[in-house]
Amino acid sequence: MYHLIKKDILMQKRALKLSILLMIFFSFTLSNLGAAGLTIGILAITYQLVLGASALEDKNNSDIILISLPIKRTTIVLSKYVSIYIYAAYATLGFYLIYLIVNLLNLPLAISFDLTVLIGAIITVTMFCSISFPLIFKYGYLKSKMANLIIFFVFVFGGTGLVSYLSKNNKLMLSQDIITFFSNKSDAVILMISMVLLILIMICSYFISLTFYQKREF
């Protein structure tokens, strides 16, 4: 699995250089959104690298080569899911270094970086990839490209719009119930519940992707 992840990273040397420029660009353009802006930035970089690897594999017909090797399909699928968090960690580290440089040089940018950014990034990236990956493993990158692009923009614009709508409409019974439930819980409990739900979602997504990939004909 390590070599599969390493292969994806080495194939994207140019994309990694581009991602640094994108992180700088997002830091300037999304800084006014606070933690939400950085979360969107981390999702965008992860999206670029995760789907970039899939695009190169489709272009080079790498799947045909991989399944002809003594590598289990379970390992191939699992390596993709693990790589999600490697790319997300890379993006998070990049934005954090920019945040440190901005503070060190006292640049006039309102970049915030705290636990909220990290938690928001993990949740957003996990939810996006748990939907995106089954499509890629069933249809391939090229056939699912448009659907994944739509999903990406739904997460970026729809997610922020939903949060804004719920915060402005306190009379919604569902939002009141959620707020009441979590207001009685400690931060550690809330974090634990969130992580358990994310893990369950990702496990379900993994097995769906594995089922699609095992049935897929190349």
Side-chain angles (χ1 to χ4, degrees):
M1 184 170 64
Y2 164 77
H3 294 290
L4 291 174
I5 297 173
K6 182 180 179 180
K7 169 187 68 67
D8 288 349
I9 295 174
L10 292 177
M11 284 195 309
Q12 298 192 88
K13 290 182 179 179
R14 185 176 297 178
L16 288 170
K17 295 177 181 178
L18 176 61
S19 69
I20 296 174
L21 296 177
L22 287 175
M23 281 188 272
I24 296 173
F25 172 75
F26 288 139
S27 295
F28 280 88
T29 57
L30 301 177
S31 60
N32 60 322
L33 297 178
L38 282 182
T39 300
I40 292 172
I42 293 171
L43 172 62
I45 299 300
T46 306
Y47 171 89
Q48 175 210 3
L49 296 175
V50 167
L51 272 69
S54 297
L56 289 172
E57 286 183 338
D58 263 23
K59 181 180 179 180
N60 298 315
N61 295 318
S62 298
D63 284 312
I64 298 176
I65 299 173
L66 287 175
I67 62 176
S68 66
L69 298 173
I71 303 175
K72 295 181 180 180
R73 295 199 183 193
T74 54
T75 304
I76 296 173
V77 176
L78 184 60
S79 67
K80 292 295 183 182
Y81 276 84
V82 173
S83 69
I84 294 170
Y85 298 101
I86 293 177
Y87 295 135
Y90 161 76
T92 303
L93 179 61
F95 280 110
Y96 182 66
L97 290 175
I98 294 173
Y99 164 76
L100 292 178
I101 293 172
V102 167
N103 286 337
L104 183 63
L105 300 178
N106 292 319
L107 298 178
L109 284 176
I111 298 179
S112 61
F113 197 102
D114 52 24
L115 186 61
T116 304
V117 174
L118 183 58
I119 295 175
I122 293 174
I123 293 174
T124 306
V125 167
T126 299
M127 294 298 294
F128 170 77
C129 291
S130 66
I131 300 172
S132 174
F133 269 30
L135 295 175
I136 293 174
F137 281 109
K138 182 174 178 62
Y139 301 107
Y141 169 78
L142 292 178
K143 292 182 179 179
S144 62
K145 180 179 179 180
M146 184 56 65
N148 282 320
L149 188 61
I150 293 172
I151 294 170
F152 173 75
F153 283 111
V154 167
F155 267 78
V156 171
F157 297 107
T160 53
L162 178 61
V163 172
S164 176
Y165 178 78
L166 290 176
S167 62
K168 292 179 180 179
N169 292 271
N170 295 323
K171 293 182 180 180
L172 285 177
M173 186 62 69
L174 178 60
S175 63
Q176 286 181 338
D177 290 341
I178 293 174
I179 292 171
T180 302
F181 175 79
F182 282 106
S183 63
N184 297 325
K185 308 296 180 183
S186 65
D187 292 342
V189 173
I190 295 174
L191 182 61
M192 186 179 298
I193 293 173
S194 301
M195 290 300 104
V196 170
L197 289 175
L198 287 176
I199 291 171
L200 290 175
I201 290 171
M202 189 56 80
I203 289 174
C204 291
S205 176
Y206 166 77
F207 281 109
I208 292 172
S209 296
L210 181 59
T211 301
F212 287 153
Y213 197 60
Q214 288 176 332
K215 294 180 179 179
R216 187 176 165 190
E217 296 181 0
F218 296 94

